[in-house]
Amino acid sequence: MTVQQEALGGEALEVWIDQDLCTGDGICVQYAPEVFELDIDGLAYVKGADDELLQAVGATTPVPLPLLADVVDSAKECPGECIHVRRVSDGVEVYGPDAG
């Protein structure tokens, strides 16, 4: 099943970053600058709908379908293994270090 098929199955997905594991490499920002941004502390954060950094611990943002492949690639390529993509409906991680 491709990334798009997973999303087209009707499952809304959200993404969050564990800043304790973030290495600040910025790979996520290169893949999906609409979703991720590096802050002045050198760590990556997800952005809200208004482009504001969401700095609360465990803050999530929806994964826009057109950017899903980029967000998943970010999770796969992240050297800190700190990007988590999960289903909104049940909180199950589908991409990232805790994905089953």
Side-chain angles (χ1 to χ4, degrees), residues 44-70:
Y45 294 86
V46 295
K47 298 194 302 188
D50 57 2
D51 234 22
E52 182 179 338
L53 289 184
L54 303 178
Q55 295 177 305
V57 174
T60 65
T61 196
V63 177
L65 183 57
L67 300 176
L68 181 57
D70 294 332

Side-chain angles (χ1 to χ4, degrees), residues 30-87:
Q30 292 174 17
Y31 275 110
E34 303 88 348
V35 177
F36 305 107
E37 185 174 323
L38 291 175
D39 197 13
I40 58 173
D41 62 5
L43 301 178
Y45 294 86
V46 295
K47 298 194 302 188
D50 57 2
D51 234 22
E52 182 179 338
L53 289 184
L54 303 178
Q55 295 177 305
V57 174
T60 65
T61 196
V63 177
L65 183 57
L67 300 176
L68 181 57
D70 294 332
V71 170
V72 170
D73 286 343
S74 297
K76 290 179 179 177
E77 299 297 324
C78 177
E81 297 186 346
C82 65
I83 300 172
H84 304 266
V85 180
R86 64 185 175 203
R87 287 191 301 254

